[in-house]
Amino acid sequence: MSKFISFPADFIWGCASSSYQVEGAWNEDGKGPSIWDTFVHTPGKIANGETGDVTVDHYHRYREDVALIKELGLNAYRFSASWPRILPNGTGNINQAGLDFYDRLVDELLRNKIEPYLCLFHWDLPQALQEKGGWSNRETASVFAEYASLLVEHLSDRVKVWITHNEPWVAAMAGYMAGEHAPGLKDPILGFKALHHIFLSHGLAAEAIRASAKQPVRVGITLNLNPIHPATGSKRDREAAKRMDTFLNRLQLEPFLKGTSPLQEEVLVRTFTKGVIKSGDFKKMHNLDLLGVNYYTRTVAKYDPKFPIISATQVHPQGTEYSGMWEIYPEGIYEILTRIWKEYQPHCELMVTENGIPVPDGLDLDCRVRDERRIRFLRNHLAQLQRAIKEGVPVKGYFHWSLMDNFEWALGYTPRFGLIYVDYKTQKRTIKDSGHWFAKVIQADGFELVE
Ligand code: FCB
């Protein structure tokens, strides 16, 4: 049996990327160092000692890359601006060459009828700001709003969608609490402080963006959200899953959708955030036109008293499918979107701003990349997304992660997430079978699903 999985004719089909992961040119044309430049050059931080110094050289090859976006038939491209490329010290002196790059990129996109979705921060904080505490310093939130204004003054005649942050939770927890990402700190108090200040910076930037915009614009944020399932039906595991849900999902959703936070419910968190949260902060965050959901996997949680605050840990169930990084769980995209819709009734637009799978792809002798596994992943996730839309959840778009293979943070170049294969030695780009498949879906606004 087969059925056609159809999407609305005005559905936004896009791909996503981020400055540090694709641009390269890490110290060219007046760019200042970011915390990722510092982190990757610190021995032992990145798999195989790899860096994003060159990565896929998008800074120089953006024209070719935009042509590929066009060839795939995408109508939107989500990318991020590198803050230290524009403001080498995070604030103060402007690097005109940096601004010029985003000017050229935006113009090239628009010339090809591709809508730019510009994200202001995808983790590459100027190193100069880290010297003053980075996101653990409240001042960084105000400086971020100034950077937002600058870019909006410059580009809002052409850019209509402004995403303040990509996955603040990961930036704070992996960067300040777990130490796996830049700046590589391992302090739970700093983790919560950083999270709060990034959230706050969204609110301040949203105000600044609206004040400086040259035309009506939409302000968004993208969050990493997972449905959380208890490992067993026991009361202890169910409660553990609930705490995990508070720590990951409610913590991120409530400030932006309700202007409140579950933070204060936990005694320990209250201690961690003493003096950090000021009156009115959560209200400021409640300023959003577009909520972007980055969905990759679910979390299965069990009770474990060893873990502070949440007394819960993640388990990896047997008998399900895994990629090199995560469990593959297509129903999760349906679960998280319907849950947001039912529980929060958001007034803002909803989109999937990231979803994808790392596959160890390689070029066959006939120069084709036969990434059947990615096609299957896409098919199953898009079918679940369409199920949510059919049930009334107004999801307006889907951005695949990623356009091209690129630098995957601490894991370096081993995970390949692209619809386009990159030979890192020659920088040659080749559209994978999945890219061709996705292009057909976009053209037909759907696909045939064989059950
Ligand atoms: C997300 C990040 C993105 C990419 C994907 C695989 O958490 O936003 O930069 O690394 O994971």
Side-chain angles (χ1 to χ4, degrees):
M1 265 261 296
S2 92
K3 63 176 174 189
F4 193 74
I5 304 292
S6 74
F7 286 82
D10 60 353
F11 198 68
I12 309 286
W13 294 105
C15 266
S17 76
S18 88
S19 47
Y20 188 75
Q21 292 177 280
V22 302
E23 282 180 8
W26 75 286
N27 59 0
E28 278 181 50
D29 295 345
K31 175 183 167 293
S34 80
I35 55 171
W36 272 93
D37 294 315
T38 309
F39 194 65
V40 300
H41 293 134
T42 310
K45 299 295 184 195
I46 311 295
N48 311 314
E50 288 163 342
T51 75
D53 290 359
V54 177
T55 179
V56 293
D57 195 29
H58 176 70
Y59 184 75
H60 296 113
R61 293 167 196 263
Y62 71 92
R63 272 206 183 89
E64 182 189 345
D65 295 338
V66 173
L68 286 163
I69 301 174
K70 167 107 175 150
E71 193 177 333
L72 293 178
L74 302 169
N75 44 38
Y77 179 52
R78 178 184 157 235
F79 63 97
S80 76
S82 157
W83 185 350
R85 196 179 287 293
I86 295 162
L87 292 159
N89 298 311
T91 178
N93 283 350
I94 299 169
N95 178 33
Q96 189 58 43
L99 271 181
D100 291 349
F101 170 66
Y102 296 107
D103 246 336
R104 293 195 298 274
L105 175 59
V106 164
D107 286 346
E108 191 66 16
L109 288 166
L110 292 174
R111 225 190 328 271
N112 286 285
K113 303 207 168 29
I114 300 158
E115 187 75 32
Y117 278 56
L118 195 154
C119 176
L120 288 161
F121 186 75
H122 199 127
W123 306 352
D124 44 356
L125 187 78
Q127 179 64 34
L129 295 179
Q130 193 59 45
E131 311 295 325
K132 300 183 204 155
W135 288 112
S136 69
N137 178 356
R138 191 175 170 101
E139 186 54 29
T140 303
S142 312
V143 187
F144 178 72
E146 287 169 23
Y147 152 62
S149 289
L150 170 71
L151 217 55
V152 166
E153 269 161 32
H154 201 75
L155 292 173
S156 66
D157 56 332
R158 287 156 286 159
V159 176
K160 292 187 250 172
V161 185
W162 292 82
I163 294 170
T164 54
H165 284 281
N166 176 75
E167 301 188 355
W169 192 94
V170 176
M173 298 306 164
Y176 290 77
M177 194 186 270
E180 288 159 1
H181 281 186
L185 303 172
K186 290 187 184 165
D187 180 337
I189 298 186
L190 290 183
F192 279 104
K193 267 192 174 173
L195 186 71
H196 186 69
H197 294 145
I198 301 179
F199 280 6
L200 175 66
S201 81
H202 165 85
L204 303 184
E207 261 178 51
I209 292 168
R210 296 188 201 288
S212 320
K214 299 195 169 138
Q215 60 173 321
V217 294
R218 273 138 66 216
V219 178
I221 193 161
T222 66
L223 305 176
N224 54 298
L225 303 168
N226 296 355
I228 316 278
H229 296 171
T232 71
S234 75
K235 186 160 180 270
R236 282 195 329 182
D237 285 350
R238 277 187 284 122
E239 283 173 358
K242 234 174 138 182
R243 286 192 299 275
M244 189 86 106
D245 183 60
T246 303
F247 178 62
L248 179 72
N249 296 320
R250 288 182 52 214
L251 185 64
Q252 297 200 73
L253 287 165
E254 285 185 19
F256 304 109
L257 299 182
K258 289 178 33 182
T260 57
S261 172
L263 259 186
Q264 300 284 10
E265 284 171 17
E266 288 287 341
V267 180
L268 248 177
V269 175
R270 241 184 358 242
T271 322
F272 284 167
T273 53
K274 207 159 162 235
V276 175
I277 299 170
K278 303 245 153 74
S279 136
D281 281 0
F282 292 116
K283 290 237 152 43
K284 291 200 179 92
M285 300 168 194
H286 189 202
N287 191 341
L288 202 66
D289 305 309
L290 163 65
L291 173 65
V293 175
N294 291 359
Y295 174 73
Y296 288 94
T297 190
R298 67 168 169 169
T299 303
V300 179
K302 76 161 192 202
Y303 171 70
D304 189 338
K306 276 201 307 296
F307 287 82
I309 312 171
I310 53 172
S311 302
T313 189
Q314 181 177 5
V315 294
H316 299 285
Q318 303 283 302
T320 57
E321 195 187 344
Y322 287 82
S323 73
M325 283 164 77
W326 296 300
E327 184 190 357
I328 300 171
Y329 184 70
E331 293 82 1
I333 201 167
Y334 164 85
E335 290 174 17
I336 197 71
L337 290 165
T338 42
R339 184 249 177 118
I340 295 171
W341 182 242
K342 284 190 185 139
E343 204 170 308
Y344 295 91
Q345 296 274 303
H347 291 294
C348 60
E349 247 176 31
L350 273 181
M351 288 195 189
V352 173
T353 36
E354 279 183 32
N355 174 238
I357 179 178
V359 179
D361 305 322
L363 267 187
D364 287 342
L365 286 176
D366 60 355
C367 292
R368 247 178 80 185
V369 180
R370 292 172 165 80
D371 57 339
E372 266 308 312
R373 197 169 188 210
R374 180 171 289 103
I375 297 179
R376 187 153 51 84
F377 176 97
L378 266 164
R379 209 184 263 133
N380 294 338
H381 282 75
L382 289 176
Q384 291 292 332
L385 168 61
Q386 189 250 17
R387 182 176 155 215
I389 297 173
K390 255 179 48 191
E391 288 180 19
V393 186
V395 185
K396 301 288 182 209
Y398 172 91
F399 290 73
H400 190 72
W401 183 272
S402 181
L403 176 67
M404 300 175 274
D405 296 337
N406 61 54
F407 178 76
E408 178 50 33
W409 309 113
L411 302 178
Y413 292 97
T414 306
R416 288 181 175 268
F417 273 94
L419 292 173
I420 296 171
Y421 177 84
V422 181
D423 177 334
Y424 292 121
K425 287 206 187 81
T426 60
Q427 294 292 355
K428 186 172 169 359
R429 278 91 160 120
T430 304
I431 298 180
K432 300 179 189 178
D433 281 6
S434 59
H436 293 297
W437 183 85
F438 194 49
K440 281 195 202 127
V441 173
I442 297 170
Q443 226 170 25
D445 277 317
F447 60 95
E448 208 65 51
L449 183 73
V450 184
E451 285 179 326

PDB file of all heavy atoms in Angstrom, residues 229 297-298 300 314-323 326-331 373 376:
ATOM      1  N   HIS A 229      10.765  10.000  27.512  1.00  0.00           N
ATOM      2  CA  HIS A 229       9.992   8.812  27.882  1.00  0.00           C
ATOM      3  C   HIS A 229      10.617   8.146  29.098  1.00  0.00           C
ATOM      4  O   HIS A 229      11.843   8.059  29.187  1.00  0.00           O
ATOM      5  CB  HIS A 229       9.986   7.800  26.739  1.00  0.00           C
ATOM      6  CG  HIS A 229       9.292   8.307  25.510  1.00  0.00           C
ATOM      7  ND1 HIS A 229       9.315   7.636  24.314  1.00  0.00           N
ATOM      8  CD2 HIS A 229       8.551   9.417  25.283  1.00  0.00           C
ATOM      9  CE1 HIS A 229       8.613   8.310  23.414  1.00  0.00           C
ATOM     10  NE2 HIS A 229       8.146   9.396  23.983  1.00  0.00           N
ATOM     11  N   THR A 297      16.178  13.518  18.257  1.00  0.00           N
ATOM     12  CA  THR A 297      15.975  12.230  18.924  1.00  0.00           C
ATOM     13  C   THR A 297      15.071  12.395  20.142  1.00  0.00           C
ATOM     14  O   THR A 297      14.686  13.513  20.478  1.00  0.00           O
ATOM     15  CB  THR A 297      17.348  11.645  19.340  1.00  0.00           C
ATOM     16  OG1 THR A 297      17.200  10.297  19.776  1.00  0.00           O
ATOM     17  CG2 THR A 297      18.008  12.449  20.451  1.00  0.00           C
ATOM     18  N   ARG A 298      14.741  11.275  20.777  1.00  0.00           N
ATOM     19  CA  ARG A 298      14.017  11.352  22.051  1.00  0.00           C
ATOM     20  C   ARG A 298      15.017  11.067  23.176  1.00  0.00           C
ATOM     21  O   ARG A 298      16.152  10.643  22.921  1.00  0.00           O
ATOM     22  CB  ARG A 298      12.896  10.331  22.094  1.00  0.00           C
ATOM     23  CG  ARG A 298      13.417   8.909  22.124  1.00  0.00           C
ATOM     24  CD  ARG A 298      12.328   7.904  22.454  1.00  0.00           C
ATOM     25  NE  ARG A 298      12.797   6.541  22.217  1.00  0.00           N
ATOM     26  CZ  ARG A 298      12.160   5.460  22.612  1.00  0.00           C
ATOM     27  NH1 ARG A 298      11.021   5.572  23.253  1.00  0.00           N
ATOM     28  NH2 ARG A 298      12.648   4.265  22.351  1.00  0.00           N
ATOM     29  N   VAL A 300      15.242   8.768  26.715  1.00  0.00           N
ATOM     30  CA  VAL A 300      14.606   7.808  27.606  1.00  0.00           C
ATOM     31  C   VAL A 300      15.303   7.945  28.963  1.00  0.00           C
ATOM     32  O   VAL A 300      16.534   7.863  29.049  1.00  0.00           O
ATOM     33  CB  VAL A 300      14.725   6.377  27.048  1.00  0.00           C
ATOM     34  CG1 VAL A 300      14.075   5.378  27.998  1.00  0.00           C
ATOM     35  CG2 VAL A 300      14.073   6.302  25.666  1.00  0.00           C
ATOM     36  N   GLN A 314      19.972   9.331  31.375  1.00  0.00           N
ATOM     37  CA  GLN A 314      19.461   8.854  30.097  1.00  0.00           C
ATOM     38  C   GLN A 314      19.884   7.398  29.898  1.00  0.00           C
ATOM     39  O   GLN A 314      21.010   7.036  30.207  1.00  0.00           O
ATOM     40  CB  GLN A 314      20.057   9.710  28.977  1.00  0.00           C
ATOM     41  CG  GLN A 314      19.565   9.310  27.621  1.00  0.00           C
ATOM     42  CD  GLN A 314      20.110  10.219  26.518  1.00  0.00           C
ATOM     43  OE1 GLN A 314      20.925  11.088  26.756  1.00  0.00           O
ATOM     44  NE2 GLN A 314      19.641   9.992  25.313  1.00  0.00           N
ATOM     45  N   VAL A 315      18.966   6.582  29.365  1.00  0.00           N
ATOM     46  CA  VAL A 315      19.344   5.212  29.005  1.00  0.00           C
ATOM     47  C   VAL A 315      19.115   5.023  27.508  1.00  0.00           C
ATOM     48  O   VAL A 315      18.360   5.767  26.881  1.00  0.00           O
ATOM     49  CB  VAL A 315      18.530   4.153  29.789  1.00  0.00           C
ATOM     50  CG1 VAL A 315      18.848   4.206  31.264  1.00  0.00           C
ATOM     51  CG2 VAL A 315      17.044   4.306  29.565  1.00  0.00           C
ATOM     52  N   HIS A 316      19.805   4.017  26.950  1.00  0.00           N
ATOM     53  CA  HIS A 316      19.684   3.780  25.514  1.00  0.00           C
ATOM     54  C   HIS A 316      18.982   2.451  25.295  1.00  0.00           C
ATOM     55  O   HIS A 316      19.581   1.399  25.485  1.00  0.00           O
ATOM     56  CB  HIS A 316      21.064   3.814  24.864  1.00  0.00           C
ATOM     57  CG  HIS A 316      21.731   5.137  25.050  1.00  0.00           C
ATOM     58  ND1 HIS A 316      21.355   6.262  24.343  1.00  0.00           N
ATOM     59  CD2 HIS A 316      22.686   5.542  25.919  1.00  0.00           C
ATOM     60  CE1 HIS A 316      22.071   7.291  24.753  1.00  0.00           C
ATOM     61  NE2 HIS A 316      22.884   6.888  25.703  1.00  0.00           N
ATOM     62  N   PRO A 317      17.695   2.506  24.953  1.00  0.00           N
ATOM     63  CA  PRO A 317      16.931   1.263  24.845  1.00  0.00           C
ATOM     64  C   PRO A 317      17.486   0.328  23.776  1.00  0.00           C
ATOM     65  O   PRO A 317      18.052   0.787  22.774  1.00  0.00           O
ATOM     66  CB  PRO A 317      15.526   1.739  24.471  1.00  0.00           C
ATOM     67  CG  PRO A 317      15.637   3.164  24.119  1.00  0.00           C
ATOM     68  CD  PRO A 317      16.907   3.694  24.652  1.00  0.00           C
ATOM     69  N   GLN A 318      17.341  -0.961  24.022  1.00  0.00           N
ATOM     70  CA  GLN A 318      17.783  -1.980  23.063  1.00  0.00           C
ATOM     71  C   GLN A 318      16.702  -2.170  22.014  1.00  0.00           C
ATOM     72  O   GLN A 318      15.540  -1.878  22.253  1.00  0.00           O
ATOM     73  CB  GLN A 318      17.946  -3.328  23.784  1.00  0.00           C
ATOM     74  CG  GLN A 318      18.907  -3.300  24.950  1.00  0.00           C
ATOM     75  CD  GLN A 318      20.344  -3.299  24.467  1.00  0.00           C
ATOM     76  OE1 GLN A 318      20.748  -4.194  23.757  1.00  0.00           O
ATOM     77  NE2 GLN A 318      21.079  -2.265  24.837  1.00  0.00           N
ATOM     78  N   GLY A 319      17.133  -2.695  20.862  1.00  0.00           N
ATOM     79  CA  GLY A 319      16.143  -3.086  19.859  1.00  0.00           C
ATOM     80  C   GLY A 319      15.619  -1.943  19.029  1.00  0.00           C
ATOM     81  O   GLY A 319      14.675  -2.123  18.261  1.00  0.00           O
ATOM     82  N   THR A 320      16.164  -0.758  19.172  1.00  0.00           N
ATOM     83  CA  THR A 320      15.752   0.339  18.290  1.00  0.00           C
ATOM     84  C   THR A 320      16.960   0.730  17.447  1.00  0.00           C
ATOM     85  O   THR A 320      18.084   0.290  17.701  1.00  0.00           O
ATOM     86  CB  THR A 320      15.235   1.560  19.080  1.00  0.00           C
ATOM     87  OG1 THR A 320      16.269   1.970  19.962  1.00  0.00           O
ATOM     88  CG2 THR A 320      14.004   1.238  19.880  1.00  0.00           C
ATOM     89  N   GLU A 321      16.730   1.606  16.465  1.00  0.00           N
ATOM     90  CA  GLU A 321      17.813   1.934  15.536  1.00  0.00           C
ATOM     91  C   GLU A 321      18.586   3.173  15.998  1.00  0.00           C
ATOM     92  O   GLU A 321      17.993   4.137  16.479  1.00  0.00           O
ATOM     93  CB  GLU A 321      17.193   2.182  14.148  1.00  0.00           C
ATOM     94  CG  GLU A 321      18.222   2.176  13.041  1.00  0.00           C
ATOM     95  CD  GLU A 321      17.647   2.577  11.686  1.00  0.00           C
ATOM     96  OE1 GLU A 321      16.400   2.579  11.527  1.00  0.00           O
ATOM     97  OE2 GLU A 321      18.458   2.894  10.803  1.00  0.00           O
ATOM     98  N   TYR A 322      19.891   3.136  15.814  1.00  0.00           N
ATOM     99  CA  TYR A 322      20.738   4.276  16.192  1.00  0.00           C
ATOM    100  C   TYR A 322      21.541   4.763  14.991  1.00  0.00           C
ATOM    101  O   TYR A 322      21.952   3.970  14.148  1.00  0.00           O
ATOM    102  CB  TYR A 322      21.721   3.870  17.302  1.00  0.00           C
ATOM    103  CG  TYR A 322      21.029   3.688  18.636  1.00  0.00           C
ATOM    104  CD1 TYR A 322      20.373   2.500  18.947  1.00  0.00           C
ATOM    105  CD2 TYR A 322      20.995   4.720  19.569  1.00  0.00           C
ATOM    106  CE1 TYR A 322      19.705   2.349  20.154  1.00  0.00           C
ATOM    107  CE2 TYR A 322      20.331   4.566  20.780  1.00  0.00           C
ATOM    108  CZ  TYR A 322      19.686   3.383  21.066  1.00  0.00           C
ATOM    109  OH  TYR A 322      19.026   3.250  22.252  1.00  0.00           O
ATOM    110  N   SER A 323      21.803   6.079  14.955  1.00  0.00           N
ATOM    111  CA  SER A 323      22.804   6.601  14.016  1.00  0.00           C
ATOM    112  C   SER A 323      24.108   6.628  14.799  1.00  0.00           C
ATOM    113  O   SER A 323      24.155   6.194  15.942  1.00  0.00           O
ATOM    114  CB  SER A 323      22.426   8.023  13.578  1.00  0.00           C
ATOM    115  OG  SER A 323      22.657   8.921  14.646  1.00  0.00           O
ATOM    116  N   TRP A 326      22.786   9.285  17.709  1.00  0.00           N
ATOM    117  CA  TRP A 326      21.559   9.258  18.500  1.00  0.00           C
ATOM    118  C   TRP A 326      20.620   8.122  18.085  1.00  0.00           C
ATOM    119  O   TRP A 326      20.734   7.594  16.975  1.00  0.00           O
ATOM    120  CB  TRP A 326      20.786  10.572  18.299  1.00  0.00           C
ATOM    121  CG  TRP A 326      21.490  11.783  18.794  1.00  0.00           C
ATOM    122  CD1 TRP A 326      21.892  12.027  20.072  1.00  0.00           C
ATOM    123  CD2 TRP A 326      21.877  12.941  18.023  1.00  0.00           C
ATOM    124  NE1 TRP A 326      22.496  13.264  20.150  1.00  0.00           N
ATOM    125  CE2 TRP A 326      22.503  13.848  18.909  1.00  0.00           C
ATOM    126  CE3 TRP A 326      21.745  13.308  16.686  1.00  0.00           C
ATOM    127  CZ2 TRP A 326      22.996  15.081  18.508  1.00  0.00           C
ATOM    128  CZ3 TRP A 326      22.244  14.536  16.284  1.00  0.00           C
ATOM    129  CH2 TRP A 326      22.860  15.412  17.186  1.00  0.00           C
ATOM    130  N   GLU A 327      19.636   7.850  18.944  1.00  0.00           N
ATOM    131  CA  GLU A 327      18.573   6.921  18.563  1.00  0.00           C
ATOM    132  C   GLU A 327      17.713   7.590  17.479  1.00  0.00           C
ATOM    133  O   GLU A 327      17.455   8.793  17.528  1.00  0.00           O
ATOM    134  CB  GLU A 327      17.675   6.607  19.782  1.00  0.00           C
ATOM    135  CG  GLU A 327      16.620   5.571  19.460  1.00  0.00           C
ATOM    136  CD  GLU A 327      15.557   5.407  20.559  1.00  0.00           C
ATOM    137  OE1 GLU A 327      15.657   6.058  21.617  1.00  0.00           O
ATOM    138  OE2 GLU A 327      14.612   4.636  20.323  1.00  0.00           O
ATOM    139  N   ILE A 328      17.299   6.799  16.512  1.00  0.00           N
ATOM    140  CA  ILE A 328      16.439   7.350  15.460  1.00  0.00           C
ATOM    141  C   ILE A 328      14.997   7.086  15.859  1.00  0.00           C
ATOM    142  O   ILE A 328      14.583   5.930  16.012  1.00  0.00           O
ATOM    143  CB  ILE A 328      16.760   6.701  14.102  1.00  0.00           C
ATOM    144  CG1 ILE A 328      18.234   6.978  13.751  1.00  0.00           C
ATOM    145  CG2 ILE A 328      15.829   7.223  13.013  1.00  0.00           C
ATOM    146  CD1 ILE A 328      18.729   6.208  12.559  1.00  0.00           C
ATOM    147  N   TYR A 329      14.238   8.150  16.032  1.00  0.00           N
ATOM    148  CA  TYR A 329      12.886   8.003  16.568  1.00  0.00           C
ATOM    149  C   TYR A 329      11.940   8.997  15.861  1.00  0.00           C
ATOM    150  O   TYR A 329      11.663  10.086  16.367  1.00  0.00           O
ATOM    151  CB  TYR A 329      12.919   8.245  18.089  1.00  0.00           C
ATOM    152  CG  TYR A 329      11.583   8.031  18.751  1.00  0.00           C
ATOM    153  CD1 TYR A 329      11.037   6.755  18.880  1.00  0.00           C
ATOM    154  CD2 TYR A 329      10.851   9.116  19.236  1.00  0.00           C
ATOM    155  CE1 TYR A 329       9.805   6.565  19.458  1.00  0.00           C
ATOM    156  CE2 TYR A 329       9.610   8.931  19.821  1.00  0.00           C
ATOM    157  CZ  TYR A 329       9.094   7.653  19.929  1.00  0.00           C
ATOM    158  OH  TYR A 329       7.869   7.469  20.504  1.00  0.00           O
ATOM    159  N   PRO A 330      11.479   8.629  14.666  1.00  0.00           N
ATOM    160  CA  PRO A 330      10.693   9.563  13.847  1.00  0.00           C
ATOM    161  C   PRO A 330       9.419  10.077  14.531  1.00  0.00           C
ATOM    162  O   PRO A 330       9.031  11.232  14.341  1.00  0.00           O
ATOM    163  CB  PRO A 330      10.327   8.745  12.609  1.00  0.00           C
ATOM    164  CG  PRO A 330      11.278   7.602  12.576  1.00  0.00           C
ATOM    165  CD  PRO A 330      11.692   7.339  13.979  1.00  0.00           C
ATOM    166  N   GLU A 331       8.765   9.224  15.343  1.00  0.00           N
ATOM    167  CA  GLU A 331       7.513   9.661  15.990  1.00  0.00           C
ATOM    168  C   GLU A 331       7.750  10.891  16.872  1.00  0.00           C
ATOM    169  O   GLU A 331       6.837  11.651  17.160  1.00  0.00           O
ATOM    170  CB  GLU A 331       6.936   8.554  16.885  1.00  0.00           C
ATOM    171  CG  GLU A 331       6.444   7.332  16.155  1.00  0.00           C
ATOM    172  CD  GLU A 331       7.560   6.359  15.795  1.00  0.00           C
ATOM    173  OE1 GLU A 331       8.735   6.643  16.147  1.00  0.00           O
ATOM    174  OE2 GLU A 331       7.275   5.339  15.151  1.00  0.00           O
ATOM    175  N   ARG A 373      20.060   5.493   3.652  1.00  0.00           N
ATOM    176  CA  ARG A 373      19.645   5.593   5.046  1.00  0.00           C
ATOM    177  C   ARG A 373      19.096   6.992   5.355  1.00  0.00           C
ATOM    178  O   ARG A 373      18.144   7.156   6.120  1.00  0.00           O
ATOM    179  CB  ARG A 373      20.851   5.314   5.932  1.00  0.00           C
ATOM    180  CG  ARG A 373      20.442   5.010   7.314  1.00  0.00           C
ATOM    181  CD  ARG A 373      21.569   4.482   8.141  1.00  0.00           C
ATOM    182  NE  ARG A 373      21.026   4.045   9.410  1.00  0.00           N
ATOM    183  CZ  ARG A 373      21.700   4.061  10.535  1.00  0.00           C
ATOM    184  NH1 ARG A 373      22.958   4.433  10.557  1.00  0.00           N
ATOM    185  NH2 ARG A 373      21.125   3.678  11.654  1.00  0.00           N
ATOM    186  N   ARG A 376      15.611   7.257   3.923  1.00  0.00           N
ATOM    187  CA  ARG A 376      14.634   6.583   4.800  1.00  0.00           C
ATOM    188  C   ARG A 376      14.335   7.463   6.024  1.00  0.00           C
ATOM    189  O   ARG A 376      13.188   7.618   6.443  1.00  0.00           O
ATOM    190  CB  ARG A 376      15.208   5.231   5.251  1.00  0.00           C
ATOM    191  CG  ARG A 376      14.253   4.365   6.013  1.00  0.00           C
ATOM    192  CD  ARG A 376      14.583   2.887   5.857  1.00  0.00           C
ATOM    193  NE  ARG A 376      15.976   2.578   6.145  1.00  0.00           N
ATOM    194  CZ  ARG A 376      16.475   2.357   7.364  1.00  0.00           C
ATOM    195  NH1 ARG A 376      15.687   2.391   8.421  1.00  0.00           N
ATOM    196  NH2 ARG A 376      17.743   2.080   7.538  1.00  0.00           N
TER     197      ARG A 376
END
